[in-house]
Amino acid sequence: MGSIKPGCTRRAFTLVELLVVIGIIAILVGILLPSLNSARKSAYKVKCLSNLRQLGDAYKLYQLDNKGWWPAAWNKWAAPANPTGAGDKRWHDYIGKYVVGGLINKQEVNYNGTQTPSKEPQIWTEPIYHGDNALWGCPAWNRISTDAGGAIAGFDVVFHPGYMMNWYPFAPNDLTPAGIVPISKRCGSVLVNGDPPPGCFMPQGFFKYTQWSRQSERALLFESVVGHNFTTLKWPYAADGSDFPKMPTLNFSIDFNRHGKRGTGNKPGDISLNVLFCDGHANTVNCREAFRAIRFN
């Protein structure tokens, strides 16, 4: 067996030296972590911008297949055969086949407006929900939103892809969202849980893409924190601090924190969310700019 030669001693770190090394590592992590987080957020922003551009391409393909028409932001109609008693399609259902790779089991996304996964694919069913597609591919979107009190805000929110289509193609000259027929003129009765009464058609804004004026300035899609079941929130993005108009009880939900420097509480002037414009370009803007791109006021 080997032995230690006379006059030689074994050298080891002392406790003080170990603590010094650990302290240096902790300082370096503290210095580098913000830079790493900033780089990651920048990468997320670029990825989400790319997704918006892909969704813009899907609108173009839909337009080419439908004689220049763009999809409605939301379309509901009486359809007693459906479980809810009404057909229900959103903008992402109309462009779904251009985004998720065409047909799934020979069925298009929510083609009949059933909103029922057992009847036809939905954007929240597999493999769409966890697929690498532009609808669900923004890594900065956690797919679950909360209301003002921090509680999960409901079904439409949990399965909301994190984008919303602009309701106002004619802003600022339309205080009522496009295609909405006043209840008094539509059926003479109120909606029940958001659904039209039996036999009542609820048209929702189909317009040709050429009707969307000032396309390089007007928002088509923007990053949103909730779907269509909105809580009552104030959005101080307009110059006068006013809220968005309601439709008839719904309001917009700009995601003013998604790409901001702060995790929460970004101000209206902070660069913090992505917007897809009607001409196909996408850009990162602040919430006041996003408001203007939607309402032009």
Side-chain angles (χ1 to χ4, degrees):
M1 295 180 63
S3 60
I4 299 175
K5 294 182 180 180
C8 294
T9 58
R10 287 185 174 177
R11 177 74 173 165
F13 286 110
T14 65
L15 179 60
V16 173
E17 289 172 326
L18 286 174
L19 292 174
V20 169
V21 171
I22 293 172
I24 292 172
I25 293 173
I27 292 171
L28 290 174
V29 169
I31 294 172
L32 294 175
L33 192 58
S35 298
L36 292 174
N37 286 337
S38 178
R40 181 179 61 186
K41 291 184 72 171
S42 295
Y44 284 176
K45 180 176 67 177
V46 171
K47 169 69 172 174
C48 298
L49 269 174
S50 175
N51 287 343
L52 275 175
R53 294 188 185 102
Q54 291 179 54
L55 294 176
D57 290 340
Y59 271 80
K60 293 176 183 177
L61 292 172
Y62 181 92
Q63 161 207 321
L64 291 173
D65 286 343
N66 291 276
K67 300 181 179 180
W69 292 90
W70 266 352
W74 185 13
N75 188 28
K76 264 190 173 181
W77 65 95
N82 288 351
T84 62
D88 190 338
K89 296 183 74 169
R90 318 295 167 93
W91 60 270
H92 44 68
D93 297 324
Y94 290 104
I95 66 170
K97 70 176 183 178
Y98 307 108
V99 180
V100 300
L103 302 179
I104 296 176
N105 296 327
K106 298 183 178 180
Q107 290 181 297
E108 293 182 17
V109 176
N110 197 34
Y111 182 80
N112 296 300
T114 63
Q115 294 280 346
T116 306
S118 62
K119 291 184 176 292
E120 55 190 347
Q122 305 296 322
I123 65 165
W124 61 82
T125 56
E126 301 298 349
I128 300 172
Y129 184 62
H130 287 103
D132 184 17
N133 59 72
L135 278 172
W136 292 109
C138 179
W141 171 240
N142 64 10
R143 304 187 183 192
I144 296 178
S145 289
T146 57
D147 61 19
I152 293 177
F155 178 87
D156 279 353
V157 177
V158 175
F159 296 99
H160 171 57
Y163 302 109
M164 191 162 191
M165 183 175 171
N166 187 3
W167 287 87
Y168 299 94
F170 309 122
N173 300 316
D174 54 341
L175 295 179
T176 300
I180 305 303
V181 179
I183 291 174
S184 60
K185 295 182 180 179
R186 183 168 65 237
C187 302
S189 62
V190 298
L191 300 181
V192 179
N193 295 324
D195 292 334
C200 169
F201 181 72
M202 184 178 174
Q204 301 280 345
F206 285 90
F207 297 96
K208 288 195 171 184
Y209 79 98
T210 52
Q211 293 178 271
W212 295 66
S213 62
R214 299 168 64 179
Q215 295 193 1
S216 65
E217 303 173 75
R218 191 178 301 276
L220 178 58
L221 294 176
F222 58 91
E223 291 174 327
S224 170
V225 291
V226 298
H228 295 279
N229 291 339
F230 299 105
T231 54
T232 301
L233 298 173
K234 288 293 182 181
W235 306 104
Y237 308 140
D240 60 359
S242 62
D243 195 4
F244 279 108
K246 305 288 194 301
M247 183 296 298
T249 58
L250 308 184
N251 58 9
F252 276 92
S253 50
I254 293 175
D255 190 353
F256 58 93
N257 292 314
R258 187 169 302 187
H259 304 292
K261 291 183 178 180
R262 303 175 182 86
T264 59
N266 286 281
K267 297 179 180 180
D270 295 335
I271 302 297
S272 58
L273 78 151
N274 292 327
V275 172
L276 172 70
F277 293 84
C278 292
D279 67 348
H281 87 278
N283 199 12
T284 308
V285 301
N286 64 47
C287 289
R288 203 173 292 283
E289 291 170 329
F291 186 103
R292 185 180 182 280
I294 297 165
R295 286 296 312 145
F296 280 98
N297 58 13

